[in-house]
Amino acid sequence: MSWGIFVIVVVHIYVLNTFLQLIYQSLFGTVDEHYQRPLIFPAWFPHDDAYRSPNYEILMIFHIALIFVTVCTFGLYVPLSLHLFLHCYQLLDMIMIAIDELFLDLDESVMVLPETDQRRIAVKGELCNRIERIVQWHQSIFDSVDTITSVYGPMLVYQVLFSSIIICLMAYQVAIQLVEGKFNYLFSILTFGAIVQLWIPCCIGTLLQTKASALGDHCFHSSWYDTPLTQLVRQDLLIFIMRTQVPVEIKFTGLPSLELTTFSSIMSTAYSYFNMLMQHN
């Protein structure tokens, strides 16, 4: 919700800033002030004037379409992916609760009964059902993450490969104007948004990895050693603990997984590019 509000506010600021300037020029501008019609984003043609008709009108339509496409992609991609990954995170919490309640309300006295006794068979069946549910939930997390990353693969490629360059160029634009005594609040907001949209999936990726890796320890330190019922599902618990050693990662083919270390690496690369541009300037 917060991200959606942020995106809508940024879009309105960009569009209104341009149209308010255009309205001011139309109502109050004079010929000797030499105003240039504003565009949402600066434009330049090598052998033509980008601000003459019909170039200006074509570029304005293109800029509005570009903003619309950006809102439909990153404006929806970030909150949707966030909620989907948070669902996986909450499912990990449910698995931990299910592990804690694995032996709850089960009769331990059946362990002294013969293996063919119906009460013992019923308790073992209930235990197997509970473990099966835990395993299914755990496997569904891997399936969900794989499905989400396959759908949002192009976005992940952009975030990992190009975010450092985009953030560097926007920060450079802000810095250059600060040197000239100006403050470009539009590019500052856009830079902040670019950093946040990169940080969100990286943070969720780290949370998922940490929570998933803690499942094995949580299972090992549960109360399985306090009940003789463990003998009925000992092998199942061992297999599940081994399965939890497989990390839950948000990644796309050929790219590093999205986690806070990846975010730190991308920001470090962006800062290196930024320093290089500032020194060259």
Side-chain angles (χ1 to χ4, degrees):
M1 184 64 179
S2 300
W3 176 259
I5 295 174
F6 173 78
V7 171
I8 293 174
V9 169
V10 172
V11 168
H12 279 78
I13 289 176
Y14 264 87
V15 175
L16 288 177
N17 181 73
T18 302
F19 279 96
L20 287 177
Q21 291 184 40
L22 194 59
I23 292 173
Y24 175 82
Q25 292 180 15
S26 302
L27 296 178
F28 306 106
T30 59
V31 178
D32 56 345
E33 288 180 312
H34 303 291
Y35 279 119
Q36 187 179 63
R37 290 185 296 179
L39 283 169
I40 299 177
F41 305 107
W44 174 80
F45 289 160
H47 303 294
D48 198 358
D49 183 10
Y51 293 87
R52 72 170 181 85
S53 297
N55 294 343
Y56 177 83
E57 288 76 10
I58 294 174
L59 285 173
M60 181 63 74
I61 294 173
F62 173 75
H63 287 174
I64 294 175
L66 180 63
I67 289 178
F68 178 77
V69 171
T70 303
V71 171
C72 291
T73 51
F74 287 99
L76 296 177
Y77 154 69
V78 173
L80 281 178
S81 60
L82 173 63
H83 282 83
L84 291 173
F85 287 130
L86 282 179
H87 171 74
C88 297
Y89 184 81
Q90 296 299 327
L91 192 54
L92 288 170
D93 283 332
M94 292 177 59
I95 292 175
M96 289 186 173
I97 295 174
I99 291 174
D100 292 334
E101 298 177 349
L102 184 61
F103 302 103
L104 187 65
D105 297 331
L106 294 180
D107 187 7
E108 298 179 356
S109 63
V110 299
M111 295 305 300
V112 299
L113 300 176
E115 293 185 1
T116 56
D117 189 274
Q118 292 300 317
R119 288 174 55 198
R120 177 166 177 158
I121 294 175
V123 170
K124 184 176 181 179
E126 177 62 23
L127 269 176
C128 290
N129 289 335
R130 294 182 181 183
I131 290 183
E132 181 182 4
R133 181 179 59 184
I134 291 173
V135 172
Q136 288 177 348
W137 285 352
H138 189 246
Q139 182 60 39
S140 69
I141 293 174
F142 286 94
D143 296 338
S144 298
V145 171
D146 289 341
T147 302
I148 296 169
T149 52
S150 64
V151 172
Y152 291 114
M155 302 295 182
L156 297 178
V157 171
Y158 161 79
Q159 287 182 310
V160 175
L161 295 182
F162 302 110
S163 285
S164 59
I165 299 175
I166 300 300
I167 293 172
C168 163
L169 293 177
M170 289 189 294
Y172 177 73
Q173 178 71 20
V174 175
I176 288 298
Q177 295 200 9
L178 283 176
V179 172
E180 298 174 354
K182 304 176 183 178
F183 177 67
N184 193 326
Y185 67 94
L186 292 177
F187 265 97
S188 300
I189 295 175
L190 201 60
T191 304
F192 174 77
I195 295 174
V196 171
Q197 64 87 24
L198 174 65
W199 176 82
I200 288 176
C202 291
C203 180
I204 292 297
T206 299
L207 290 176
L208 279 176
Q209 287 190 33
T210 304
K211 179 71 74 171
S213 62
L215 271 182
D217 293 336
H218 189 82
C219 185
F220 182 79
H221 293 98
S222 61
S223 57
W224 60 269
Y225 44 80
D226 291 333
T227 173
L229 293 174
T230 307
Q231 301 176 28
L232 299 176
V233 289
R234 181 185 305 166
Q235 293 298 323
D236 298 320
L237 289 176
L238 288 175
I239 293 174
F240 178 73
I241 291 175
M242 293 174 62
R243 174 61 174 165
T244 59
Q245 305 308 307
V246 179
V248 178
E249 296 180 329
I250 303 175
K251 64 178 301 181
F252 193 65
T253 305
L255 298 177
S257 59
L258 284 181
E259 51 188 352
L260 288 179
T261 54
T262 306
F263 173 78
S264 177
S265 175
I266 293 174
M267 293 303 298
S268 177
T269 303
Y271 183 70
S272 299
Y273 292 158
F274 174 78
N275 275 337
M276 181 181 65
L277 289 176
M278 293 299 293
Q279 291 175 4
H280 178 73
N281 187 56

